Amino acid sequence: MGHVDAHHRGRGDLAGAIGSAAILLPSNLITCYILFVALVSAPDGPWDEAASAGTVQTVSLLAGALALAVTLLTLFVLATQWLRSRWWLAVPGLLLAGSVIRWLFPSA
């Protein structure tokens, strides 16, 4: 009687899935934009390399912190089974990896 088919969601689960996606999608997009800023930042000239590298590392660190926060939020959402696909972890994982690489190579 209380059996719920695995393919059907209750209203609470559906609302949780929609709400989770509505939070995760913009969070990933914002993180992606910040990482993009770190990737396209370049020094104005040889006199600006040190300051530019510091700025790139700071922005990369911000992108990495946001990617880590989104990863933790995604793990929470997956644990609640509001969203069931582990693919949701791919985007913040890639953003985290990209931010670490950019932080390590700020002058590239």
Side-chain angles (χ1 to χ4, degrees):
M1 189 136 155
H3 183 275
V4 177
D5 186 2
H7 296 290
H8 294 91
R9 293 177 178 251
R11 286 187 181 166
D13 286 343
L14 184 59
I18 292 169
S20 298
I23 292 170
L24 292 178
L25 287 173
S27 298
N28 281 313
L29 287 173
I30 290 167
T31 305
C32 185
Y33 176 74
I34 293 171
L35 180 58
F36 174 76
V37 169
L39 290 172
V40 299
S41 295
D44 291 331
W47 65 89
D48 191 36
E49 287 184 16
S52 177
T55 301
V56 166
Q57 284 188 313
T58 300
V59 174
S60 297
L61 187 63
L62 175 62
L66 285 173
L68 183 60
V70 174
T71 300
L72 294 174
L73 180 61
T74 304
L75 286 170
F76 170 76
V77 168
L78 290 173
T80 62
Q81 294 189 352
W82 288 332
L83 296 175
R84 297 178 181 160
S85 174
R86 300 270 181 229
W87 284 104
W88 281 95
L89 286 170
V91 174
L94 289 172
L95 292 171
L96 182 58
S99 65
V100 168
I101 291 169
R102 186 60 173 149
W103 183 80
L104 290 173
F105 303 101
S107 299

